[in-house]
Amino acid sequence: MEHHPAIQPSRRSVLRGLGATAVAAAPILSACSSGLKGSGTSTGDTIKIGYVSPRTGAYAAFAESDAYILEQVRAFFAKGITYDGKKYDVKILDRDTGSDPQQAATIADELISQQEVDLVLVTATPDTIHPVAAKCESEGVPCVSTIEPWQAWFFGRGGTPKKTFKYTFHFFDGIEHLARVESDMWRQHATNKKVGVLWPNDSDGNAFRDRTTGYRAQPPTKGFTFVDPGSYEPGTKDFSSIIAKFKKEGVEILAGVPSPPDFATFWTQAAQQNFKPEVATISKAILFESSVSSLPNNLGNGLCTASWWVPQFPFTSTITGQTATALADDYEKSPLAKGRTWNQGLGPNHALFEVAHHVLRNANPKDREAVAAQIAKTSLDTVLGHLSWTGGGAANPVKNVATIPMVGTQWVKGSGGAYDLKVISNTLLPQVKTDAKAAEL
């Protein structure tokens, strides 16, 4: 198996807010719409697909199912891809960023300049996605990414509705989906409608804070009062001042997009300092059972999160024929799961390879211009749901983005000690039945 040694992340991030992100992600606007190099075609009879993810480090939970997915898709692609009567072998080169943006940039350079990949797939948080997408855009290499709110991906990389990207594409939910689902969960609890927000000084946090396109600008959050203590630096060890402000302002709802380590620090200190909101809806930090179960003293019980994939989704994979339920079940039975339960990364990370298969068999896989153009007109059903980079509307808000639905979920500790993720809100996806009522935190 192809692999790259991980570099453990430091707490320093090169993606400090939108301004720094635009530097770190420099495709950038000069590359939008036209590309800088437009490297054209690659040679040979083997299609090379780069797959980049944070398998170790702060965001390792997002790629927890990588070993299973890679074994699965390598078996599928072993039969090759045929385009215009010519059969190509397929080689997947997977790389671990260690959750470090500088390592992500180094990996992208290696895959493009040394391996000469035909397509790059990248997943999970701006720290991994932005440096990789920046390199792909500047070098004219098609790239598809997922697991980052689309506003953070698009605006955070310097995109505008008039200045889009040519080679880099993304699918995921947006802040508009999070606002709808999270506010629905707030309304299921009796509160004073005061919302304390944990928005860090990074690409995600700044996208949420943006007054024009961010969280407070979304119609579903109207009627709630926001208490914003200001951005905190990733890696903060003392959240006492933020907790004190929340307590002083009478905050009864907590929302935010912290990293798993930062939220663990905050939530532990909140309990110690007797701050306990009626409901907490947290993105990014508590998406996975491994992150929730690691919180001390059962502090994960009752936490809510908007989920972008659960086994109850009524969708099927185009490459394996598995339903979402079957994919989750098969993962849990696999020795590669190491006894872990399914997690949300399964859906979108599997769907990356569904998109790759669709695109590479419908365009000359050795012509990067053709592959990018094919992504731009792709409309595809996946195990994650329908993805469309064409047609506009809510499903395709800007040229490079396809959006996905979400459901509202709550972590409940089961009799066996593990946490179960219960669906408590289905306003955006009524096909998924709720299986629990909102419980007190």
Side-chain angles (χ1 to χ4, degrees):
M1 178 181 292
E2 291 280 350
H3 64 90
H4 196 287
I7 293 180
Q8 292 299 317
S10 66
R11 284 298 182 182
R12 181 177 60 82
S13 172
V14 300
L15 298 177
R16 295 294 192 221
L18 294 185
T21 299
V23 175
I28 290 251
L29 288 184
S30 61
C32 295
S33 303
S34 61
L36 288 181
K37 295 190 177 180
S39 44
T41 60
S42 59
T43 59
D45 296 329
T46 298
I47 298 170
K48 292 183 179 180
I49 301 173
Y51 175 70
V52 185
S53 64
R55 290 207 293 271
T56 57
Y59 298 113
F62 287 84
E64 201 172 79
S65 54
D66 268 12
Y68 167 82
I69 291 172
L70 287 165
E71 180 181 73
Q72 186 181 52
V73 297
R74 282 192 170 107
F76 173 80
F77 283 113
K79 62 185 180 183
I81 287 178
T82 299
Y83 172 77
D84 196 24
K86 181 175 180 178
K87 184 177 179 180
Y88 296 85
D89 293 329
V90 178
K91 186 176 185 179
I92 298 170
L93 300 101
D94 62 281
R95 301 289 187 265
D96 171 24
T97 67
S99 301
D100 181 84
Q102 292 176 313
Q103 176 69 357
T106 299
I107 285 170
D109 184 65
E110 178 255 337
L111 287 173
I112 292 169
S113 63
Q114 297 180 35
Q115 302 294 339
E116 298 183 341
V117 292
D118 300 292
L119 174 66
V120 173
L121 309 176
V122 57
T123 183
T125 81
D127 279 2
T128 289
I129 294 172
H130 288 205
V132 174
K135 187 66 176 178
C136 288
E137 188 71 29
S138 67
E139 296 295 327
V141 176
C143 174
V144 183
S145 55
T146 190
I147 310 186
E148 177 187 1
W150 74 260
Q151 288 93 341
W153 180 88
F154 186 76
F155 300 119
R157 294 180 53 234
T160 73
K162 292 183 179 180
K163 293 183 179 180
T164 58
F165 304 101
K166 181 173 182 180
Y167 297 98
T168 48
F169 298 83
H170 189 70
F171 65 87
F172 205 56
D173 58 67
I175 293 173
E176 69 274 29
H177 305 95
L178 285 157
R180 173 82 178 274
V181 171
E182 291 187 353
S183 63
D184 184 63
M185 292 191 284
W186 300 345
R187 292 183 177 94
Q188 295 181 38
H189 296 79
T191 72
N192 60 5
K193 295 191 173 182
K194 285 191 174 182
V195 185
V197 293
L198 275 177
W199 290 332
N201 183 21
D202 62 13
S203 187
D204 278 337
N206 288 327
F208 274 72
R209 180 172 279 106
D210 188 279
R211 287 285 184 175
T212 303
T213 59
Y215 202 72
R216 289 167 291 191
Q218 306 304 321
T221 66
K222 301 304 180 185
F224 292 88
T225 300
F226 286 86
V227 177
D228 183 358
S231 61
Y232 68 88
E233 290 301 316
T236 291
K237 297 301 183 184
D238 185 358
F239 286 92
S240 297
S241 62
I242 292 176
I243 293 168
K245 184 172 182 63
F246 288 165
K247 290 173 69 175
K248 180 180 178 181
E249 298 290 336
V251 164
E252 292 186 353
I253 301 169
L254 178 69
V257 60
S259 70
D262 286 349
F263 180 71
T265 301
F266 170 86
W267 199 230
T268 301
Q269 292 175 5
Q272 293 167 348
Q273 297 171 35
N274 297 314
F275 170 61
K276 187 178 181 182
E278 298 297 321
V279 57
T281 53
I282 303 298
S283 297
K284 192 154 75 173
I286 60 164
L287 295 168
F288 312 109
E289 202 277 340
S290 57
S291 299
V292 176
S293 62
S294 68
L295 295 170
N297 304 319
N298 297 322
L299 288 176
N301 197 41
L303 290 171
C304 296
T305 190
S307 292
W308 15 271
W309 187 80
V310 295
Q312 297 97 308
F313 269 27
F315 309 123
T316 302
S317 168
T318 56
I319 59 177
T320 66
Q322 293 168 300
T323 63
T325 301
L327 180 63
D329 288 346
D330 191 58
Y331 170 72
E332 291 183 350
K333 294 174 184 175
S334 169
L336 295 173
K338 298 180 180 179
R340 295 180 294 236
T341 58
W342 67 273
N343 79 38
Q344 290 186 61
L346 257 176
N349 292 343
H350 178 99
L352 280 172
F353 290 95
E354 293 188 74
V355 173
H357 177 245
H358 172 82
V359 169
L360 294 171
R361 66 189 178 91
N362 284 291
N364 180 351
K366 306 305 287 186
D367 183 339
R368 291 167 172 168
E369 302 282 332
V371 171
Q374 180 62 46
I375 300 170
K377 61 183 180 181
T378 288
S379 182
L380 179 69
D381 289 322
T382 73
V383 77
L384 189 64
H386 186 72
L387 305 177
S388 179
W389 282 275
T390 183
N396 174 223
V398 292
K399 172 179 176 280
N400 304 92
V401 167
T403 64
I404 61 171
M406 306 186 80
V407 293
T409 55
Q410 185 172 37
W411 290 104
V412 178
K413 193 162 188 178
S415 57
Y419 286 91
D420 297 321
L421 195 59
K422 302 292 187 181
V423 177
I424 61 172
S425 171
N426 62 354
T427 57
L428 289 181
L429 199 60
Q431 305 98 303
V432 176
K433 294 182 179 179
T434 58
D435 51 17
K437 290 185 179 181
E440 292 184 4
L441 185 61

